[in-house]
Amino acid sequence: MNADPAIRITMLPRDTNSQGTIFGGVILSYIDMAGAIEAHRRTGMERFVTVAMREVIFHQPVFVGDLVSFYSETIKVGTTSITTRVVVEAERYGSPGVKARVTEAEVIYVAVDLEGQKKKI
């Protein structure tokens, strides 16, 4: 796993669900971005589309004020696709240094050209 996160962000009240924790869809959106950042870094390709998210596991909730880091790594590079793994870690608000793995997922992207057609990596 990369030592530096692809994304690091503090969760805000606008990101909460009806239960008062961060909405899972917000986390999924950042996972998608973090995986895409890894795909671009690894291949140098300009355009990718998300094909699938596999094995998304929500281990613990994320709370308002948590500093959330999204770490990504490449699992596999195919002819036109790349699979990344994203691990999400939250540093708990008010408890500096207290971190928890909150979510992880695999994301598959396909390289495409300007017309949206598959492109060889």
Side-chain angles (χ1 to χ4, degrees):
M1 190 65 48
N2 292 325
D4 294 324
I7 299 170
R8 180 172 280 155
I9 187 163
T10 300
M11 293 292 118
L12 301 174
R14 69 170 183 239
D15 303 318
T16 58
N17 60 27
S18 62
Q19 305 304 309
T21 58
I22 302 305
F23 182 59
V26 170
I27 300 298
L28 289 175
S29 176
Y30 285 116
I31 286 172
D32 194 14
M33 284 189 264
I37 289 167
E38 173 66 16
H40 290 291
R41 284 179 176 166
R42 177 65 183 259
T43 67
M45 302 294 292
E46 291 181 28
R47 296 185 187 336
F48 285 97
V49 293
T50 306
V51 175
M53 279 196 182
R54 293 196 291 210
E55 306 211 19
V56 178
I57 303 169
F58 293 96
H59 298 289
Q60 295 186 38
V62 177
F63 304 101
V64 171
D66 284 355
L67 179 60
V68 183
S69 299
F70 297 79
Y71 298 92
S72 56
E73 67 180 344
T74 298
I75 302 282
K76 177 185 172 189
V77 178
T79 305
T80 61
S81 67
I82 182 169
T83 302
T84 64
R85 178 171 180 256
V86 179
V87 173
V88 186
E89 182 178 89
E91 183 172 338
R92 299 304 188 183
Y93 178 73
S95 300
V98 175
K99 298 177 184 177
R101 179 177 288 195
V102 293
T103 312
E104 58 187 292
E106 280 188 16
V107 190
I108 303 167
Y109 303 90
V110 170
V112 295
D113 61 20
L114 290 172
E115 288 77 43
Q117 301 301 309
K118 288 183 181 179
K119 184 175 179 179
K120 193 172 185 177
I121 294 178

